[in-house]
Structures are given as C-alpha cells and as structure tokens.
Amino acid sequence: MSAAEDVLELAFEAGFDLAGLAPFAPAPGAERYGAWLDAGHQGTMAWMERARGAVESPITWAPEGRTLLVVGVGHSRPAGTTQDGGRVARYAMGADYHNWVGRRLRKLAKRLAEAGLVKGARSAVDAVPLFERAHASAAGIGFESKAANLLHPKFGPWFFLGELVLDVELDPTVEAKSAPPLYGDCGTCTACLDACPTDAFDGPGVLDARRCLSYVTIEHKGLSDPDLREKQGDWAFGCDICSEVCPWGNKAPDHTDRFGTHSALEGARLTDWVTGPADPEAFREHFLGSPVRRAGREGLAANSAVVLGHRPTDEGLAALRHALERDPSSQVRESAAWSLAFAHGADDGTRPAIERAMAREDDVIAAAMRASLERY
C-alpha cells in the first residue's frame, strides 16, 4: 500500500469512522470566512476574528504542515431531554468529544511516527484556526450542507471532526483541484432553512450565529434578545432542529454507547439548574467532562429559566420566584423575571414580585425587567 493508504488504515484502526487526506493549504472557499466575519455573523465570539489570518493561511500557525488528516466520529443518539422537558443538544448528553477524539488523535500520531510514516503530527479538535468543514469536504469525508454543517450519507450531520497536521506530503484522498467529493447533495431540499425557529440562516450555508439558538444558549454572554427567547422553546443547551429535520440524518446509527450519558444529565431537571448551588467551582466539578460545562453555571441557569417560561408548571413557578429573589447572578434574576412575565404575567403575585425585584437592581437590569412587564 501507499503511505497515504497506510495512514488511513491506522486512522480506522484507532477507532475513527471516517478518514481522509487533503493538502495542508488554504481550504477551498476560505475567502467565505472573511466575508462571514465582515458581516458580523460571529456575534461576540471575538476569537473568530482573531483567527482570520490563520484560517485563510493555515501554514502560518503550523509551518511544518504538509498534509491534513481529517477524521470523523459518529455520535447519533436519541434526543436529549431533562426530566421536566428541557432539551439538550444530543452531542452534549455524553462525554465531551474533545477528550474522546483528542486522546485517539494523540495515540494515532504516536503510531504514525513509530511506523515511520511521519516525523511529527499536531492534533486538533475544534480549538484551532481551521476552516474545518471545507477541509473535511476536500478530504472526502462529506459535503457541506445548506445548514452550514457537514453531511455524510451514513452518519448524516451526526459526527464529530478532528485533525492531524502531518509533516509529510501524502496523496490527497480527493485531488486538490477537483470539486468536493460528491457523496450527495442537498438538492432542492430546504428543510433545515425552513425549520429554524429564529430564521438564523441568511441563505444556504450562511448562518448568522447571533440568531442561532446554539450560540444564544452556549456562547453568548449576558442578557439574550427577548425575540429569541420567545422562540427558544425547550432548548436549555444548544439546538438540534436543523439536524433533526435533515433527511440525511434519519438513518444514522445510534452511538449512545460510545459516549454514554454524563452523570450530570441523568435525571436532570431544569428547576434544579435554576435553583441549584451558584458556586461556579461546584458547577464545574458537577459537569466535569461534559460539554454542558461550556455554558457556565450562570448561562445554564438563565437558559433553564427561559425554558421554564415555555413550560409553565407550579414547580417551575416556584423555581423562577426563588431565582428572582435570591440568585446572586443578575443575568439569572433577569431571565427569571422575563419568564415570570411571559408565562405568569396574569398571576396575582407575579407583577408585584417583579416590581419589588426591580427596586433592588441596577438601571440596566431594572430596565430589562420593566420591558418584560410592558411586553407581556
């Protein structure tokens, strides 16, 4: 076999479901990244702007790179829900994929070196400046979709990506100057665009993160837009809607056993996330090894408070009033006020409770609470 074939064989032996090779060079269509940033679609994710130069010219951050090995790992599983109906993105229900993929990439890099196939290899899982989907498409492991993700005929949109930057030139899985591999395409289907509750797509393949529920519930810091809250529905962490409606994902194999279910998600309740310990360190310990940790205690509690507004119950009402009066985070208190106004504004005690809370808040939070009372 050729060296390229040997590398791919070892990648599959390492436990990856998909693997392909592409030149370590600017990804096809890399100029789209700059245009996306210029439109402000990244929202408050300032690190994406800082990565602009490296994304457009990856050799600047890995000058030893000659070939990019891209791997994929299936993660499809049933929808993730809390005991009281909150939803968590499927990928976040189990162990953090960064750790799972990262460990195997490092072991694979060692095996490649021992086999004399490379001198060195740098592993990458999400947190490096790569135009990842375009590189993966160029490596032949999927095609870019109208939902701005990557699709595969077997795994649909339900797979993680990881990379090894190799210091040797290897034959690409797909010739560098050819079109991306035609595993399939979206055709005339617009299911993902039509189903997005916040109209977050400016067009096929163009996602405005500022309107995406995954961004709103994970990456965004501070108070969220009331218009988006009204459309957040049951989503406490992330959103799977555009993937769930995709015809390519309907028959993906179940990989629940691969990543398991994190202990913090087993039997979880939104009310506990709203009223639980406010100590950030206790939160980090509780969610150790879980992607949900990314939102932080404040973010997850605020998200959960919003969801309780969409799922009004007596237990939820008690949790929201507790948060309004006692939570140390102004973001959580304001989110609780929004949900109380949204779902319980007609209740006799709700408006006076929010008005009393406003008197204790600074001008910004008080104004947001007042706006919620006026809106509903």
Side-chain angles (χ1 to χ4, degrees), residues 33-241:
Y33 184 73
W36 186 82
L37 290 172
D38 291 340
H41 291 328
Q42 72 277 22
T44 58
M45 296 182 289
W47 55 269
M48 300 191 80
E49 174 63 44
R50 293 195 296 271
R52 181 194 292 247
V55 168
E56 295 175 346
S57 181
I59 201 73
T60 59
W61 65 270
E64 75 283 4
R66 296 295 178 268
T67 301
L68 189 66
L69 169 63
V70 185
V71 296
V73 180
H75 68 82
S76 181
R77 61 184 296 149
T81 58
T82 65
Q83 290 293 311
D84 45 0
R87 296 204 60 188
V88 173
R90 299 185 188 194
Y91 83 89
M93 288 296 294
D96 193 334
Y97 74 94
H98 295 85
N99 301 329
W100 196 99
V101 175
R103 285 194 299 270
R104 283 160 180 78
L105 281 174
R106 290 188 292 273
K107 290 181 180 178
L108 174 58
K110 184 177 180 180
R111 290 196 65 188
L112 293 175
E114 291 172 347
L117 293 168
V118 301
K119 292 181 180 178
R122 181 184 298 195
S123 63
V125 188
D126 194 37
V128 294
L130 278 175
F131 200 32
E132 195 174 45
R133 294 190 311 277
H135 284 294
S137 179
I141 68 171
F143 64 95
E144 295 183 75
S145 78
K146 292 178 182 177
N149 60 13
L150 203 69
L151 296 178
H152 184 274
K154 179 179 179 180
F155 299 101
W158 309 107
F159 62 101
F160 300 127
L161 293 174
E163 296 82 29
L164 280 181
V165 180
L166 309 179
D167 62 357
V168 295
E169 291 189 10
L170 298 173
D171 294 333
T173 307
V174 176
E175 290 297 324
K177 294 183 180 180
S178 71
L182 297 179
Y183 277 115
D185 59 60
C186 295
T188 60
C189 179
T190 59
C192 56
L193 308 184
D194 299 337
C196 179
T198 57
D199 297 319
F201 295 99
D202 279 356
V206 183
L207 175 69
D208 187 339
R210 296 168 296 184
R211 302 198 305 271
C212 174
L213 290 180
S214 286
Y215 166 81
V216 170
T217 60
I218 302 174
E219 298 295 337
H220 178 68
K221 307 304 178 186
L223 307 184
S224 56
D225 187 327
D227 290 335
L228 298 179
R229 285 175 172 174
E230 290 180 359
K231 300 174 182 179
Q232 187 173 327
D234 297 338
W235 293 101
F237 184 91
C239 179
D240 285 331
I241 292 174

